[in-house]
Amino acid sequence: KPFAHRLDAFDFGRRVAVEKELRGLPAELSPPSNALFDHSGTILIYPSLLGIKLVHIPSNRLLRIVGRAESTERFVSLALWQDRALARARALYADAPPVGGA
């Protein structure tokens, strides 16, 4: 589907205007842009003009665009919290008896 992610002209123009406004800001006021990997290192997550893109690196396939419906927002900085420590703790203590006896 080559045109599956196409925007209508009005929405595209609005997004380009927001992008130009962001690029016109002085460096100290400009929000930093970043890209992140998930805990497995196989999914790249980064902000774009269309929304937040999730790309599967081994297959180079676009998995999802998050926030595409948000036509007035421009995502620039991302933060990702992945509960790996809690998952490890649960795996370590899966066989332990519950706290308080029982």
Side-chain angles (χ1 to χ4, degrees), residues 1-6:
K1 298 188 233 181
F3 300 108
H5 304 294
R6 175 180 259 178

Side-chain angles (χ1 to χ4, degrees), residues 11-71:
D11 194 26
F12 179 75
R14 186 178 325 141
R15 289 176 190 237
V16 169
V18 169
E19 189 72 18
K20 285 181 181 178
E21 186 178 321
L22 285 174
R23 291 182 187 263
L25 291 174
E28 61 273 2
L29 297 177
S30 176
S33 187
N34 63 343
L36 306 168
F37 284 94
D38 74 329
H39 68 87
S40 70
T42 60
I43 298 176
L44 176 65
I45 307 164
Y46 65 95
S48 74
L49 193 64
L50 295 176
I52 299 169
K53 291 186 176 182
L54 285 78
V55 177
H56 186 247
I57 296 295
S59 66
N60 196 27
R61 208 176 100 234
L62 179 65
L63 298 176
R64 181 172 300 198
I65 298 177
V66 180
R68 183 165 182 236
E70 306 294 333
S71 61

